[in-house]
Amino acid sequence: MRNAAIRRTTKETDVEIKLSLDGGEVWVSTGIGFFDHMLTALAFYAGWGLELTVKGDLEVDGHHTVEDTGIVLGQALKEALGDRKGIRRFGSAFVPMDEALCFTALDFSNRPYLVFDADMPQPMIGDYDACLTVEFMRALAMNAGLTLHQKCHYGANAHHMTEGLFKSLGLAVKDAVRVEGAAVVSTKGVL
Ligand SMILES: [Mn+2]
């Protein structure tokens, strides 16, 4: 089983994650309802087992909670992948969600990079600030060693658009971490 367990505590947040790339229970609690909804969708479409508890300084706002969750989830993903031997490495997916169309392309290259193009038409989704999605994706990409591109081609509802981004991320990750051989997929021989 490819898995990782990490706990990270700062003055702003306490994040505890158990991640399995090869399935299991999904249980998420961050204190932000819509963020729980997104992380549950991500885990489901990625085929992960994920136990995630976050206690953040929500009396400030959701920023530290969302960003730090991205950091620790990225660290867990990196650890669970190990030497990345035999994984497909690349993945991509389009996901439509009602009027919105979202796309993710990614490469577990060990070269962190984020390109994110999704302007949200409403600032808030429940008690989740719509501008936090790019913060989560950046933290995830930087800490997982992931080249991540995301684009929302069009949409009118920030809930649909954000959900399309998380679901397409999950589907792309599921493809990219699939073990297909024994060798590292790189002309350099190492990732
Ligand atoms: Mn939804």
Side-chain angles (χ1 to χ4, degrees):
M1 289 288 274
R2 297 176 296 172
N3 47 37
I6 299 180
R7 182 166 190 178
R8 177 182 185 268
T9 306
T10 71
K11 288 178 181 173
E12 295 171 345
T13 63
D14 181 9
V15 182
E16 191 167 11
I17 287 182
K18 286 183 189 165
L19 171 68
S20 170
L21 299 185
D22 302 302
E25 294 294 306
V26 175
W27 192 88
V28 174
S29 173
T30 67
I32 305 173
F34 182 75
F35 192 38
D36 290 353
H37 179 36
M38 292 301 96
L39 293 167
T40 302
L42 169 60
F44 179 82
Y45 287 100
W48 290 345
L50 179 66
E51 289 173 44
L52 171 57
T53 308
V54 187
K55 294 185 183 76
D57 55 357
L58 295 177
E59 71 282 3
V60 177
D61 66 8
H63 193 284
H64 302 141
T65 296
V66 172
E67 183 175 25
D68 291 3
T69 300
I71 290 171
V72 183
L73 188 57
Q75 290 172 345
L77 194 44
K78 183 167 196 159
E79 188 178 315
L81 281 168
D83 60 12
R84 308 186 183 208
K85 256 187 197 155
I87 64 166
R88 184 179 166 86
R89 182 179 159 182
F90 297 93
S92 61
F94 273 106
V95 168
M97 177 109 195
D98 295 358
E99 87 298 339
L101 181 65
C102 295
F103 177 68
T104 296
L106 56 79
D107 173 11
F108 280 97
S109 56
N110 234 344
R111 285 178 290 115
Y113 205 97
L114 177 71
V115 177
F116 184 92
D117 182 7
D119 290 328
M120 294 294 156
Q122 295 90 33
M124 296 299 293
I125 309 165
D127 52 1
Y128 177 86
D129 191 331
C131 76
L132 292 178
T133 303
V134 66
E135 306 299 331
F136 172 81
M137 296 300 175
R138 186 183 300 113
L140 183 79
M142 293 305 129
N143 287 278
L146 179 64
T147 303
L148 175 61
H149 290 234
Q150 290 201 301
K151 182 174 177 67
C152 188
H153 287 270
Y154 42 78
N157 178 300
H159 183 129
H160 295 157
M161 294 163 72
T162 304
E163 191 162 339
L165 291 170
F166 274 89
K167 283 180 175 172
S168 63
L169 174 64
L171 288 169
V173 166
K174 186 177 191 174
D175 258 357
V177 305
R178 186 172 292 137
V179 175
E180 292 192 327
V184 170
V185 179
S186 168
T187 52
K188 286 184 288 220
V190 67
L191 283 173

